[in-house]
Amino acid sequence: MLENLTQRLSRVVKTLRGEARLTEANIQAALREVRVALLEADVALPVVKEFIAQVKDKALGQEVQGSLTPGQMLVGVVHRELARLMGEHNEPLNLATAPPATVLMAGLQGTGKTTTTAKLARLLKETKKKVLLVSCDVYRPAAMEQLRALAQQVGCEFFAPEPDEAPEAIARRALAWARSHFFDVMLVDTAGRLTIDEEMMAEIRRLHEALKPIETLLVVDAMQGQDAVNTARAFGEALPLSGLILTKLDGDARGGAALSVRHVTGKPIKFVGVSEKLNGLEPFHPERMASRILG
Ligand code: GDP
């Protein structure tokens, strides 16, 4: 079984007992353990390096409190710093605009984007919002059908596209429909590809332009680990993201992707996917994620 960070640190910092403050020399070995723990949790290497530097900065010179070992103190600093970097508090969905509040969903194929769109619709419906679900994935009829079926399961209306209608045309018509039929929220699923390509990015930018969404959410698969960073960076550069959703946290992923994607985009993680089921979407809590990453 993997040793958790507290156990590791208490092993390497035994020699520190009795020392009154955390110094460069006495925390070096401990910081090496923190580095390994973060890499094992799948945090991207450049993010780890920067994080370690910040922790070192925070920890150096701190007096070791009587009841704590230096190792425990350092774990405390690491934990607080992790939570702080991931956003301190949960940031809720922002729907504060003239209705319909439009939410654009972005992400690669297979990350759980369509399922997450339906999960979000379900959550919003619980708060008595009238939600319209729209799919602009004209390349995969199966994806459109999937959202139509999910819409029915969560009891929300699905906007039916015309045959051969272009993504922006669907988006514009859906927006007009949502306005004239007094929908509170419109959730727009977009085409996903297996890899990032320029055409896909250009299309989602055009959709963003046409819809002017209040939220543009990137769906990232926590199981992607280090690759999540590249995805987040590419989408973050192409689109003004307002937040992220991390899916598949019910799997083995230790959650390091949370720190990485937050770091490269600077945007808050708003929700996490915790099961395949439609009730498996929860608000993101930085504190809990910090504990999970540290093991
Ligand atoms: P899309 O291609 O990004 O639209 O992905 P889908 O919504 O079709 O999801 C791909 C697969 O991931 C499906 O089998 C979903 O049930 C599954 N999935 C989505 N979110 C989660 C999650 O949070 N946990 C688990 N275990 N599976 C998920």
Side-chain angles (χ1 to χ4, degrees), residues 106-117 119 137 140 143 146 150 189-190 192-194 219 221 223 246-251 272-277 280-281:
L108 291 179
Q109 187 175 322
T111 53
K113 185 161 48 63
T114 303
T115 315
T116 303
T117 308
K119 287 176 173 177
D137 191 349
R140 291 187 306 153
Q146 185 191 353
L150 290 172
D189 193 10
T190 57
R193 307 277 162 81
L194 290 172
V219 180
D221 180 345
M223 304 289 282
L246 201 60
T247 60
K248 308 189 192 178
L249 272 171
D250 49 319
V272 290
V274 294
S275 97
E276 279 186 292
K277 299 214 183 80
L281 189 70

Side-chain angles (χ1 to χ4, degrees), residues 101-154:
T102 303
V103 180
L104 186 65
M105 306 292 288
L108 291 179
Q109 187 175 322
T111 53
K113 185 161 48 63
T114 303
T115 315
T116 303
T117 308
K119 287 176 173 177
L120 203 50
R122 186 184 167 279
L123 277 186
L124 291 166
K125 194 169 178 248
E126 272 180 1
T127 64
K128 305 278 178 258
K129 301 282 187 213
K130 187 179 172 187
V131 183
L132 182 64
L133 284 163
V134 184
S135 173
C136 290
D137 191 349
V138 296
Y139 311 101
R140 291 187 306 153
M144 217 170 244
E145 273 316 306
Q146 185 191 353
L147 189 64
R148 188 199 297 272
L150 290 172
Q152 202 165 24
Q153 284 179 44
V154 297

Side-chain angles (χ1 to χ4, degrees), residues 180-200:
S180 59
H181 291 77
F182 307 105
F183 280 88
D184 300 303
V185 186
M186 177 168 101
L187 303 180
V188 183
D189 193 10
T190 57
R193 307 277 162 81
L194 290 172
T195 53
I196 294 153
D197 66 61
E198 210 17 71
E199 203 184 317
M200 169 199 191

Side-chain angles (χ1 to χ4, degrees), residues 5 8-9 11-13 15-16 23-40 45 48-49 51-53 55-56 74 78 294:
L5 188 67
R8 281 176 178 193
L9 291 189
R11 187 162 44 76
V12 297
V13 296
T15 52
L16 301 189
T23 65
E24 181 108 32
N26 68 20
I27 63 172
Q28 209 170 27
L31 285 176
R32 252 199 310 276
E33 292 298 320
V34 174
R35 182 186 157 100
V36 173
L38 292 177
L39 287 172
E40 277 174 5
L45 182 60
V48 172
K49 283 186 174 158
F51 179 78
I52 296 287
V55 166
K56 195 167 157 185
L74 197 63
V78 169
L294 292 180

